[in-house]
Amino acid sequence: MILKELKIETWIGDKTNCYIIQDEKSKETMVIDPAGDVDKIIEMLDILQAKLKYIYLTHCHGDHIGGVKELKERKGGKILAHRNTAENLLDPNISLTTYIGLEGLVIQVDSRVDDGDLIHLGNLEFRVIHTPGHTAGSTSLYCEKEKCL
């Protein structure tokens, strides 16, 4: 497994974490929380010769989702998020997109996930863990094979 952490500039001036996970053999790849600076994300995907399979959203806040639409348009991939997150992405009062200057940003997910669902990248398997608190739809991903959360 390849795991890259990128510090991504957001529209509010703060950096946020974006993760790229890849199965080394198949090159299937998942980008987690593409906050913005899509050029930087794509540069890393190109270096890894990535086959972008998924764009995964850990929660709905605007400082984690600002680059989702552009990344999908440029590199493909299915947008995945917990069902609560999927609903909250449609409400700027919850996603805070208007508050941070991303008015009109509406993201439709391709697939909704639930607690216990499995996501596969090549030979890697990630279990969705619903971790509400920060938002109602917050999730974490756990890869037992790699002992990585």
Side-chain angles (χ1 to χ4, degrees):
M1 178 174 84
I2 295 175
L3 171 63
K4 298 288 185 185
E5 177 184 8
L6 303 176
K7 297 289 187 185
I8 300 295
E9 291 285 342
T10 65
W11 287 269
I12 59 173
D14 292 332
K15 291 184 179 182
T16 194
N17 294 330
C18 169
Y19 298 93
I20 297 174
I21 299 175
Q22 182 180 72
D23 174 70
E24 293 176 78
K25 186 175 181 181
S26 70
K27 301 286 189 190
E28 286 187 346
T29 304
M30 174 168 46
V31 174
I32 301 173
D33 291 345
D37 199 353
V38 174
D39 289 336
K40 183 175 183 178
I41 296 168
I42 289 176
E43 178 182 9
M44 182 56 68
L45 292 173
D46 289 345
I47 288 168
L48 295 170
Q49 299 175 337
K51 298 175 187 171
L52 185 57
K53 186 173 182 180
Y54 299 121
I55 300 168
Y56 189 87
L57 306 179
T58 61
H59 66 291
C60 65
H61 285 158
D63 62 334
H64 287 256
I65 63 170
V68 171
K69 288 179 99 171
E70 183 181 353
L71 180 60
K72 182 175 175 75
E73 288 170 6
R74 292 175 60 186
K75 294 299 267 189
K78 292 178 82 173
I79 301 169
L80 307 178
H82 186 270
R83 66 183 53 259
N84 292 345
T85 293
E87 294 299 320
N88 292 339
L89 286 167
L90 305 175
D91 185 341
N93 293 315
I94 297 173
S95 68
L96 307 176
T97 51
T98 302
Y99 174 75
I100 64 170
L102 295 175
E103 292 194 36
L105 177 63
V106 176
I107 296 171
Q108 295 282 342
V109 302
D110 295 305
S111 293
R112 297 171 182 214
V113 298
D114 287 305
D115 187 60
D117 284 354
L118 300 174
I119 298 170
H120 293 92
L121 288 178
N123 290 319
L124 300 173
E125 180 177 85
F126 296 86
R127 183 169 41 94
V128 175
I129 302 172
H130 186 209
T131 52
H134 185 61
T135 68
S138 292
T139 56
S140 300
L141 297 175
Y142 178 66
C143 180
E144 185 172 349
K145 178 180 179 181
E146 299 287 335
K147 305 291 187 234
C148 181
L149 179 67

